[in-house]
Every structure is written in structure tokens, then in C-alpha cells.
Amino acid sequence: MMTEKELVIEDIITDAMATPSPAKSMGDPGITPLSPTHILNDSEENETTRHPYVVVVAIDFGTTSSGYAYAFTKEPECIHTMRRWEGGDPGVSNQKTPTTILLTPDKKFHSFGYAARDFYHDLDPTESKQWLYLEKFKMNLHTTANLSIDTDLHAANGKKVKALDIFAYALAFFKEQALKELSDQAGSDFDNADVRWVITVPAIWKMPAKQFMREASYKAGLVSRDNPDQLIIALEPEAASIYCRKLRLHQMVDLGNKTAFNGYSPTENVGMGMTQGDRYVVVDCGGGTVDLTVHQIRMPEGHLKELYKASGGPYGSLGIDYEFEKLLCKIFGQDFIDQFKIKRPAAWVDLMIAFESRKRAATPDRSNPLNINLPFSFIDYYKKFRGHSVEHALRKSNVDFVKWSSQGMLRMNPDAMNALFKPTIDHIIQHLTELFDKPEVTDIKFLFLVGGFAESPLLQQAVQKMLQGRSRIIIPHDVGLTILKGAVLFGLDPSVIKVRRSPLTYGVGVLNRFVEGKHPPEKMIVKDSTRWCTDVFDTFISADQSVALGETVKRSYTPAKPSQQVIVIHVYCSEKESVSFITDPGVRKCGTLKLDVSGTESPAARREIQTLMQFGDTEIRAMAVDVATSRSVKASIDFLSQ
């Protein structure tokens, strides 16, 4: 609960002439902070003029695979994707490398990607138990309820390791790879200070997860805390959107025609030119999440406006792996699978790689079965564990459509494989259906399917069936690199997205004058013979409210005691659009706004600290100034230490 000591808000009734703040959707709560509270920032300073970065490097840190791409600011049209990786998988493009990391038994970084996987794989089984191997760990940032700097991850051998260390190691690896490639090109050492870094995250991630990525970047030495602007956090579907609207006809497939556009001039733009007001949906289907974004093109510059807050969920292709694991548990027993994963971790990785390539071969009209190689150690260990053969287990389990082939393979009927896809695809279709029912989401000209999972013919068919021709489904050719290339474009011009929608309602708890009949009696407190209503939610910004780039919310705070060094203000959030009290259901404390007011003591009777919060960007920022002295006050907003 917030006491008046912690936070005193200026006792000023809004003047009838003052412009009402769009951030006050609840009507005038009696006492409002100093007006005006909402400012639109018109300064159209171009980012690149202020920071003479030589190159923009974007890192797509994916759930299943990762990569980087870059462009020199002098030739922004020319986007380079990284060199091909050693040790690729059959049937899988190796423009990216698997998001796998290997640490030595004493938790030092050893290798990343294919190299980590291959080295781990070649270790003797007794030795491999000592090493720490992690894969597909990115989703933990989305699923961990109280994410903090101290959150742990579990390696394949069950040992715990700090998530921050793992993410920092991975980012440091990409930093080193990219700088090495740039140095080779330049013929001399390339300076990190000349690089603007962009890291992509799912749009549905909450603020703590975005801040976590930033903290990991500081730890990895990508950028320093003194120069936070050198790193931009980009939202994956936004990046995809920026790239998609620049697509030329020869760079995509229209699912309606099921062919690449060959009959047209290859220089024509998508949809024979996206024009003013065109609306389109980007469905970013990755390994961990599926993210939906709705954008509208605003001419003449082709800026983008978000029409509906990003939505989606943990419905990436990982869901299919989980279903496969569930199937194995059904056949061989959960107890065996749990033991096998810990006792033979490298063989488990092998089995999942074999499954991955079959997963990619699943199509709606396939009639012949899909064979999955069972590693020898699986067959061997099962016999030791259960005392009978894998073949016996398959016969005994009443799982339809999965047979044992004499060549040592699991033989999956196409229907069995399609059943593994079903729960994940159903989630995506349900989400899309809900999105298309929203009043803001009408007249969608195109639906872009991007991300690695977008290559799945089963998913493509389901989306086509759901849309029934309401908008054209476009799939870029290099569907897995769409986000990476878009992130580079975003880094070159971060102001391309002019309007976003706030995913949540944000605000703070304040005291307001008690109004009989309006405020609940149990919220009343009396101080110095004045009646106050406590726990009032002072809204900064509402869920799904349009926020322009650079738009700020202004509030003034006064330290309760003249000697106070730090003002700590708890920030609350909710998915509901209108919130009255911080005690309302669904409202939770999500962050802390810290104002360091040391060294700003002034003779004024009441010190006024004016705080500006920016909500129109991919991250929330805070700035503050001491009004009497015009000196800036150190302001920080923290979402990780709850």
C-alpha cells in the first residue's frame, strides 16, 4: 500500500481550461498531478545524425535457432546475413545456428550452436554428465512468473545455472562472431563503439523479460550502462513487418496462387504496391511463441502505425516437441523418459534432432509414414530399465499409428504426426480468429506468415482455411531470416514505427481527496483533519491506448521529507483498460520508479521533481528534473526486482 510519506502528489485541482490528459481515462480523480500530463514529442531528429554508428548489427536470439545480420549505415539497402555455420543439419537451412550452449564442468563458456551440439555429442557418456548443455531455454524468460536477475535454468544433466550468465554468454558469443566478421571485412580491428546493436524479442514479452535481455547485454559487454542507446530492443513481429512491406514480388509466395510471383515485374512491391491506409497482419511463428501484430501504412513516408496491441502466446513449434515427448511417455513410461534424459542426455538430443527433420516433412496430403531413428542407447537403456524390448513396449501400448520397423525406427503414420501438430495449430487459429473478430481489425489486405514455423505446410493450410479468402496470405522466401533483416532495418531507422498500442494499463497508487458517494468508505483515511481516499490508481497509460513515438506522461512528485535522498514509487499494471484502485482484481505491482534526488536540496519550501515517462517505444523509459534548479535527476524504472 502506498502511504502519503512515500509519495505526495501536488494538491492541485485541474483547471477547467487545462487540457484533459488522455492518460486519465477514469475521469478527474479530484487531485491530479501538475498539468499538462501528456506531451507529444515532435522532434523528428534522425537517430543516425546523433550517433555516427558505422554499422547496425541485429541478433535474432531465437528459441530454437539464432543468428545475426548487419548493414553499414552508408549502404542501408545491403543487408548481410552471417556466414554459413559449420556442421549444419540435413534438410535444415544453416543460415542460423541452433540456440544451444555448452559450459565446461566448472561452468565456463565452451561453445555455442552446432559446435556446442557436436562437441557435447562426441563426449564419452560418463564425461558428458559433468558438462552443462542447454537448449531451447529462451522461453523461460516468458514463462517464469517472478523473473529476476537471480532466475536459474537447468542444464540437460539437471544442474542449475544462472539464466543471466547463459544469456550473457550467448550474446558475448554473437558479439565476438560479428566483430570478427566485420574486422575481416575491414582488414583491421572493428571497434565495438561503431556498432549499434539490435536484439529481437517477442512482442508479447512483458517488461521484465525485455529488461532481462538488456541486463544480459550489459553483462556480455555488448554495450555499457553509460550508453544504453547503443542497444535497441526490437519486437520480432515489428521487425518482420518492416521487412515485409518492402518485399518485392520475386521474394515471396502468395498462398492463394501457391506459386512465387513470376509473371510480374520483380521490382514491383507487395500486393502491387501497399498504399496509404493499407492494413496488414504479421503472424510471427517461431519456436517458442506466436506473435500477432496489426499495422497500417501511413504515407507519404511509409511510417507504420500499430492498430491493435500485440497478442499471441507460447504456441511456437516447441509445442510439437512437447507433444512428441508426451507420446514417448505414453509408449515407454514417464519414469523411463525422465531417467533417459538425465542419464543419456546426448542420445536424447539425437532423438530430438531426428524428430526435427521428420517434423519438417509433415504435410497435409502425405500418405507414406515418417520414420524416426531411435538411438541405439535408447533401445539398450530401455531394455536394462524395463527388462523387455522397445518393440514389446510398442505392441503393448495402445498407441495407434505408431509402429516399430525392423530397421530400428519408430514408424509414424502421417495422421499420428498431424495429431502432434494439432494442439499448437489450434491455439494459433483460435488466436487469429479472435483477432479478426476485433472491430479494429477490419479490411486486412495481407497476412504475412513469418518465422521458422511458418514453413510448415500444415500451419499454412490451417491459416488458409480459417481466412477463407478474407485477406491474402504472403510468405516471404527467406521466412526464417525475415525478422533478422527487419531488425537491421529497424536499427537503421528506429522511428519508422510511429504509433504503438500499450499492452497494459500502467499507473501508480496515490491519495486523492475523499469524495462522498464516489469513493468506498473503507478507503478513507483522515490526515490533518482532511479526508483522503487511499490506493487510488493514477493511470499513466491505458491498455490498448495508442501511443506515439516519443510521447511522454508527466507527473510531479515531492519528497515527503526535505532530507530524503531517494523517492521510490511503485508502478502497478493491469490488463484491464480502466482501473480505479491499486487493490482492484488483476492489478499487480510490476515495477519500481526510483528518483535519486540526492544533491538537489534547495531552499524552496517544497521540492518538486517533475518526472517524464516515455511509453511509445519498445521499452518504457523515465527521466526526471528538479523544477527549482532545472537540474536533471537520476531516474530509473526497474521491472526485475520484485
Side-chain angles (χ1 to χ4, degrees):
M1 196 179 106
M2 190 151 284
T3 61
E4 193 179 10
K5 273 204 171 59
E6 268 189 283
L7 166 62
V8 181
I9 294 211
E10 295 295 335
D11 183 0
I12 293 175
I13 307 294
T14 312
D15 174 15
M17 297 301 290
T19 45
S21 152
K24 290 233 160 300
S25 55
M26 312 169 299
D28 181 14
I31 294 176
T32 60
L34 294 176
S35 266
T37 60
H38 223 80
I39 312 157
L40 268 167
N41 183 359
D42 290 329
S43 67
E44 284 278 324
E45 266 186 279
N46 191 338
E47 287 283 327
T48 41
T49 55
R50 282 177 296 172
H51 296 287
Y53 295 114
V54 178
V55 70
V56 169
V57 180
I59 299 173
D60 176 4
F61 194 126
T63 302
T64 43
S65 60
S66 298
Y68 66 88
Y70 59 94
F72 292 95
T73 45
K74 284 198 168 63
E75 357 165 54
E77 286 303 307
C78 189
I79 299 173
H80 308 262
T81 46
M82 64 210 167
R83 315 173 209 192
R84 293 198 173 265
W85 299 93
E86 297 296 312
D89 282 345
V92 178
S93 145
N94 63 342
Q95 278 271 252
K96 283 165 145 186
T97 195
T99 307
T100 50
I101 191 166
L102 183 63
L103 308 188
T104 60
D106 57 356
K107 298 191 176 179
K108 296 277 181 288
F109 176 78
H110 179 271
S111 47
F112 188 90
Y114 287 119
R117 218 174 64 183
D118 296 346
F119 186 90
Y120 178 62
H121 197 263
D122 295 342
L123 286 169
D124 181 74
T126 48
E127 204 187 344
S128 68
K129 283 180 214 156
Q130 308 306 313
W131 290 65
L132 291 94
Y133 178 81
L134 293 99
E135 60 174 358
K136 301 179 182 166
F137 48 83
K138 174 181 163 186
M139 274 301 283
N140 289 62
L141 297 197
H142 183 68
T143 50
T144 303
N146 298 322
L147 184 66
S148 78
I149 290 299
D150 299 318
T151 294
D152 287 319
L153 295 175
H154 291 270
N157 61 3
K159 286 187 185 163
K160 283 204 300 199
V161 56
K162 289 265 169 285
L164 192 71
D165 292 344
I166 293 298
F167 280 82
Y169 280 143
L171 290 170
F173 167 80
F174 279 111
K175 173 191 172 184
E176 195 186 323
Q177 294 289 320
L179 287 177
K180 186 174 180 319
E181 185 168 339
L182 289 165
S183 301
D184 288 352
Q185 282 209 355
S188 61
D189 276 356
F190 205 90
D191 189 356
N192 190 43
D194 291 334
V195 180
R196 164 162 253 172
W197 294 96
V198 181
I199 294 176
T200 62
V201 303
I204 55 167
W205 269 16
K206 304 273 190 291
M207 288 309 301
K210 294 180 193 173
Q211 187 182 331
F212 189 94
M213 275 308 223
R214 184 167 276 285
E215 292 295 331
S217 306
Y218 293 146
K219 188 161 187 170
L222 222 61
V223 299
S224 76
R225 283 181 199 282
D226 308 333
N227 187 16
D229 290 346
Q230 191 183 353
L231 168 71
I232 300 175
I233 300 286
L235 307 182
E236 286 160 3
E238 281 194 357
S241 175
I242 292 165
Y243 179 69
C244 283
R245 72 195 177 119
K246 293 199 158 194
L247 281 176
R248 304 280 185 248
L249 293 173
H250 64 99
Q251 296 169 307
M252 64 199 182
V253 175
D254 184 334
L255 265 197
N257 308 346
K258 206 59 182 140
T259 53
F261 284 119
N262 290 332
Y264 301 96
S265 138
T267 52
E268 274 186 86
N269 258 8
V270 159
M272 321 325 124
M274 282 198 171
T275 52
Q276 163 72 15
D278 274 356
R279 296 154 170 240
Y280 60 100
V281 172
V282 173
V283 184
D284 169 20
C285 311
T289 49
V290 167
D291 254 334
L292 313 175
T293 329
V294 189
H295 276 155
Q296 183 172 29
I297 294 205
R298 294 163 67 189
M299 296 302 179
E301 303 87 1
H303 290 142
L304 300 176
K305 171 185 181 177
E306 190 177 9
L307 293 179
Y308 183 71
K309 66 181 180 202
S311 61
Y315 316 130
S317 57
L318 266 194
I320 303 156
D321 299 354
Y322 290 137
E323 291 297 319
F324 179 59
E325 197 176 317
K326 264 165 48 184
L327 179 72
L328 293 175
C329 290
K330 207 169 153 186
I331 300 170
F332 303 107
Q334 174 98 41
D335 54 345
F336 167 72
I337 296 294
D338 289 347
Q339 272 302 302
F340 180 71
K341 282 164 83 171
I342 286 185
K343 291 282 193 292
R344 301 280 188 276
W348 174 255
V349 170
D350 248 10
L351 176 55
M352 291 315 282
I353 292 169
F355 174 66
E356 181 66 37
S357 75
R358 304 327 296 141
K359 189 167 98 180
R360 289 167 186 265
T363 59
D365 41 15
R366 189 182 174 107
S367 55
N368 51 336
L370 293 133
N371 291 324
I372 295 159
N373 254 327
L374 276 186
F376 171 72
S377 64
F378 185 99
I379 299 166
D380 186 47
Y381 191 64
Y382 184 76
K383 195 159 176 69
K384 284 190 187 123
F385 190 88
R386 282 270 190 262
H388 59 241
S389 70
V390 161
E391 192 176 350
H392 176 82
L394 270 160
R395 271 206 310 273
K396 215 179 69 178
S397 79
N398 47 4
V399 173
D400 294 339
F401 310 129
V402 184
K403 299 278 177 277
W404 175 247
S405 90
S406 51
Q407 292 88 31
M409 297 187 183
L410 277 185
R411 185 159 256 184
M412 283 185 83
N413 178 311
D415 291 348
M417 182 59 101
N418 296 359
L420 299 183
F421 276 77
K422 191 173 169 7
T424 302
I425 289 182
D426 284 353
H427 271 302
I428 297 170
I429 295 304
Q430 184 193 345
H431 232 92
L432 265 175
T433 307
E434 285 168 15
L435 182 74
F436 272 78
D437 285 346
K438 300 266 185 260
E440 305 90 332
V441 187
T442 50
D443 307 325
I444 299 293
K445 194 165 176 184
F446 301 102
L447 181 142
F448 290 101
L449 266 183
V450 304
F453 189 22
E455 291 177 271
S456 159
L458 292 168
L459 177 62
Q460 294 174 7
Q461 187 195 43
V463 173
Q464 246 180 313
K465 208 164 124 191
M466 173 250 145
L467 279 178
Q468 296 177 330
R470 277 186 287 177
S471 57
R472 287 170 59 187
I473 304 170
I474 306 283
I475 303 171
H477 275 325
D478 46 4
V479 69
L481 299 174
T482 306
I483 289 159
L484 208 39
K485 291 178 173 180
V488 173
L489 294 171
F490 182 63
L492 291 163
D493 178 18
S495 65
V496 59
I497 296 184
K498 283 283 182 271
V499 180
R500 288 185 174 86
R501 296 273 179 160
S502 175
L504 297 169
T505 296
Y506 288 97
V508 295
V510 298
L511 290 173
N512 274 350
R513 285 286 175 87
F514 190 82
V515 179
E516 204 71 57
K518 179 187 169 192
H519 291 139
E522 68 273 14
K523 296 272 184 206
M524 188 181 82
I525 54 171
V526 179
K527 284 198 172 177
D528 307 332
S529 69
T530 304
R531 299 193 316 162
W532 297 91
C533 179
T534 178
D535 293 341
V536 174
F537 189 97
D538 172 30
T539 306
F540 291 158
I541 205 107
S542 295
D544 207 29
Q545 181 181 326
S546 284
V547 200
L549 192 64
E551 192 168 337
T552 54
V553 175
K554 193 192 262 188
R555 292 289 188 273
S556 289
Y557 302 110
T558 300
K561 297 193 285 293
S563 59
Q564 200 171 334
Q565 301 289 302
V566 176
I567 305 177
V568 176
I569 298 158
H570 297 307
V571 179
Y572 294 85
C573 68
S574 167
E575 293 185 3
K576 295 199 174 88
E577 282 180 40
S578 68
V579 181
S580 307
F581 298 99
I582 59 171
T583 50
D584 286 0
V587 176
R588 56 191 171 82
K589 183 179 158 235
C590 63
T592 317
L593 175 64
K594 244 192 186 147
L595 304 174
D596 179 353
V597 293
S598 55
T600 59
E601 291 77 7
S602 70
R606 288 182 77 181
R607 280 163 66 205
E608 184 195 323
I609 308 295
Q610 198 175 71
T611 308
L612 293 175
M613 272 155 296
Q614 266 193 344
F615 287 93
D617 220 324
T618 56
E619 296 173 278
I620 297 173
R621 296 182 193 185
M623 297 152 286
V625 66
D626 184 324
V627 174
T629 61
S630 302
R631 279 219 297 258
S632 81
V633 170
K634 205 168 165 215
S636 61
I637 194 154
D638 180 17
F639 293 98
L640 271 176
S641 49
Q642 291 320 302

